[in-house]
Amino acid sequence: MKSTALIAAAAFTLLMAPDAQAASCSGRGCNDKDPVSAGCSSGSTTADTAPMYTGGTAELRWSPGCRTNWVRVSNYSGGDSALRITVWSGSDHVGFVAAGTPGNHWGNMVHAPGCARGEVLYVDKNGVHRTARLASSAC
């Protein structure tokens, strides 16, 4: 009997749980906003990747719910300068500067219903200027 009551209580709790946080923007209203705090990173996918010379991966991310792209840098090993992260689609262009410290970093979003491009400019630990370029499949 106790197990039936526990299962019923657990099912009720799941049914009453709030849905995942809805995105706070969509389309051009998301331009230059943080994808995580706006709720657009949930359900996002990777549209393109590019290895970074110093270690790590640049990723062009796509949010179908918000219809936006942004660039994320995963597992960056660090460098001699800040990361200059840019994403654009048509005439919409968003730039962001992130610390050049080791770890994960991402830039702000741009509305991108079609072709989107991104890049990360950085200086590696040897002082060499590098660029990782990205493009969505619609380009």
Side-chain angles (χ1 to χ4, degrees), residues 70-135:
W70 65 94
V71 174
R72 178 174 74 183
V73 176
S74 298
N75 302 314
Y76 185 58
S77 61
D80 281 349
S81 71
L83 300 169
R84 297 189 184 279
I85 300 171
T86 307
V87 63
W88 64 94
S89 178
S91 63
D92 293 336
H93 183 112
V94 175
F96 188 84
V97 177
T101 56
N104 299 321
H105 306 279
W106 59 88
N108 290 340
M109 299 180 284
V110 68
H111 175 240
C115 173
R117 297 184 186 278
E119 69 180 18
V120 179
L121 302 172
Y122 61 104
V123 178
D124 69 21
K125 291 181 179 181
N126 297 320
V128 178
H129 292 257
R130 306 272 182 189
T131 305
R133 290 191 172 89
L134 305 153

Side-chain angles (χ1 to χ4, degrees), residues 20-47 60-72 106-112:
Q21 180 184 355
S24 63
C25 65
S26 66
R28 280 202 168 91
C30 293
N31 279 359
D32 209 22
K33 292 188 179 178
D34 181 308
V36 175
S37 63
C40 296
S41 63
S42 177
S44 65
T45 59
T46 302
L60 182 64
R61 302 291 295 170
W62 163 250
S63 169
C66 296
R67 299 187 60 178
T68 57
N69 282 99
W70 65 94
V71 174
R72 178 174 74 183
W106 59 88
N108 290 340
M109 299 180 284
V110 68
H111 175 240

